[in-house]
Amino acid sequence: MPAIKNTVVIFREDPGQGWVEEKHMEVVHKDFDPDTVEIKPENVLVKTLFLSLDPYMRMRMATGAKSYIHPFQIGEPLQGTAVAEVYRAAEGSKLQKGDLVVGMVDWAEWTIVSEKGLTKVEKKADVPLSYFLGILGMPGYTAYAGLEKIGEPKAGETVYVSGAAGAVGLVVGQIAKAKGCRVIGSAGSDDKVKLLLEEANFDAAFNYKTVKSYTDALKEHCPKGIDVYWDNVGGEMLDAVLPLMNAHGRIPVCGAISQYNASEPYGVKNLSMLIKSKLKLQGFIVGDYYADRELYQRFQQEIVQWIKEKKIVYKEHVDEGIASAPSAFVGMLKGRNTGKQIVKVV
Ligand code: NDP
């Protein structure tokens, strides 16, 4: 292959508080020769096929903040999980040309990475490769593990999911349905609400952007109160839910996306309901559950089976080309995506 250009997205500027914009990232084209570039021992050169864009990346753009994951470096490529194809491997590597892998790469067409961080994937019939970034990947396992370990939904209970039409929320709602719960979802457009009701089998759903009051909408759709609240958004929605929780209710705190671009954090007022209603409110990071191999294997088997049997639907919002990643990322944070936000690179 002759020398080519590698299109890479560089982190240009910390957005500070408030909205991240495309100007905080820069698309550059670097001279690159995949056949001659040096690959050090234990490294491989991979070609990105599908790149995952995820809300947690917004937190990695806060360069001074302390978080569970280190921030992106100004002037360096942004990074994310991808399905990629091995193009060349260092001598002695367990991987070879053509192998399909999932792992952390640059927002780029080509990346040299340590093979230690890569997991080989087998292409499965009926399952698109990009699903390894969504329902069969980190967001799917977030839903599966968070429900099993914290939400613990039981048949007949009411489960409310915010951010319900996204990568994680769609899976949460459908697993809870499969367990015999009554499932209510909220999302930010009428089309997303339609998807939840007509395709994802939710019992009720509402557009949180057009309802007059979160409390009234929740009272209408959850007349028996809420037993499990899957919190993807935090802030004002969490505040509205707390007084409506039934005794001994569980709240897996998965995310707080309403706060990631906020210039002022929202102060939750109803935390005393934790005492009155004896609630469990527990945050978690999916990464902590990968060590539970039994849970992870059960997740993989069950989800693949449900996909094959068409018991679970999954959606993706796919943008094309690595240069589209900055606008796709901003768009995802603003709710343009339905289901998992993916960039198809090759
Ligand atoms: P999504 O696919 O749901 O995409 C983000 C969605 O958030 C948007 O589509 C938008 O949908 C919604 N959103 C944006 N702003 C707001 C707001 N102000 N209020 C309510 N909703 C908003 O992303 P994921 O499914 O990947 O992630 C969902 C949540 O789960 C995030 O908070 C993320 O950080 C968290 N997460 C946590 C993990 C963990 O280990 N704890 C792992 C993975 C994800 P809409 O149109 O409905 O507004």
Side-chain angles (χ1 to χ4, degrees):
M1 187 183 283
I4 51 165
K5 297 282 183 193
N6 184 15
T7 303
V8 182
V9 185
I10 302 290
F11 182 37
R12 227 358 109 213
E13 193 187 327
D14 182 338
Q17 291 201 310
W19 280 98
V20 58
E21 295 174 39
E22 282 180 56
K23 68 172 186 195
H24 299 120
M25 299 164 262
E26 187 189 359
V27 178
V28 299
H29 307 279
K30 295 183 174 176
D31 289 332
F32 190 76
D33 189 337
D35 291 317
T36 59
V37 65
E38 186 194 358
I39 302 173
K40 297 215 166 100
E42 297 180 11
N43 283 352
V44 292
L45 169 63
V46 298
K47 197 162 57 162
T48 310
L49 305 181
F50 297 98
L51 174 70
S52 174
L53 297 179
D54 298 278
Y56 78 87
M57 293 165 169
R58 175 65 184 86
M59 288 181 268
R60 291 192 71 186
M61 290 179 169
T63 49
K66 219 175 141 201
S67 185
Y68 64 95
I69 185 164
H70 63 84
F72 293 125
Q73 300 296 306
I74 302 284
E76 295 294 322
L78 291 146
Q79 293 181 321
T81 307
V83 175
E85 186 179 326
V86 174
Y87 184 74
R88 274 173 60 213
E91 214 168 297
S93 168
K94 290 190 200 79
L95 294 168
Q96 52 186 311
K97 187 171 174 136
D99 280 348
L100 295 171
V101 291
V102 170
M104 192 67 80
V105 301
D106 293 344
W107 289 20
E109 291 167 317
W110 299 88
T111 315
I112 296 172
V113 279
S114 163
E115 70 173 322
K116 280 193 198 122
L118 301 175
T119 307
K120 211 167 149 179
V121 294
E122 301 299 336
K123 209 169 179 324
K124 293 184 167 70
D126 307 331
V127 179
L129 258 184
S130 51
Y131 275 24
F132 288 98
L133 303 176
I135 186 165
L136 277 175
M138 184 276 281
Y141 193 48
T142 301
Y144 194 90
L147 273 181
E148 170 115 357
K149 297 286 184 186
I150 305 170
E152 299 179 272
K154 292 166 199 68
E157 287 190 328
T158 298
V159 176
Y160 166 52
V161 188
S162 58
V168 174
L170 256 184
V171 186
V172 171
Q174 293 180 87
I175 295 176
K177 266 311 278 182
K179 289 185 185 287
C181 300
R182 182 164 188 280
V183 178
I184 291 87
S186 60
S189 77
D190 292 345
D191 282 345
K192 292 185 186 188
V193 168
K194 196 164 170 231
L195 161 77
L196 296 176
L197 294 173
E198 294 182 5
E199 293 187 60
N201 203 21
F202 280 51
D203 295 287
F206 62 93
N207 179 344
Y208 73 92
K209 288 186 179 164
T210 54
V211 290
K212 282 210 180 82
S213 134
Y214 293 167
T215 301
D216 290 350
L218 288 167
K219 278 186 178 164
E220 179 192 337
H221 294 298
C222 310
K224 292 185 181 168
I226 300 166
D227 299 293
V228 178
Y229 169 46
W230 183 279
D231 190 6
N232 275 326
V233 306
E236 200 181 337
M237 185 61 83
L238 173 60
D239 228 1
V241 169
L242 283 167
L244 304 178
M245 292 293 296
N246 293 329
H248 300 289
R250 287 83 63 200
I251 307 179
V253 182
C254 176
I257 198 162
S258 72
Q259 303 299 295
Y260 299 168
N261 293 286
S263 12
E264 289 248 348
Y266 176 91
V268 177
K269 303 170 197 75
N270 288 318
L271 283 176
S272 63
M273 293 311 300
L274 294 178
I275 309 157
K276 286 182 199 155
S277 302
K278 295 158 271 187
L279 306 176
K280 176 166 90 170
L281 175 98
Q282 187 181 329
F284 70 100
I285 299 294
V286 62
D288 293 344
Y289 292 124
Y290 282 100
D292 188 339
R293 299 316 292 169
E294 189 279 322
L295 183 69
Y296 185 73
Q297 267 157 20
R298 191 149 42 83
F299 152 71
Q300 290 275 323
Q301 282 159 4
E302 223 163 5
I303 296 280
V304 168
Q305 192 61 30
W306 287 342
I307 294 170
K308 281 187 184 155
E309 291 170 0
K310 301 200 182 335
K311 281 192 180 152
I312 191 163
V313 297
Y314 202 59
K315 298 284 166 187
E316 296 180 315
H317 184 111
V318 183
D319 286 81
E320 301 260 343
I322 197 70
S324 72
S327 64
F329 182 62
V330 175
M332 186 255 303
L333 291 172
K334 294 194 165 167
R336 204 196 50 176
N337 62 310
T338 297
K340 179 78 196 99
Q341 176 67 55
I342 297 282
V343 175
K344 184 169 185 244
V345 180
V346 173

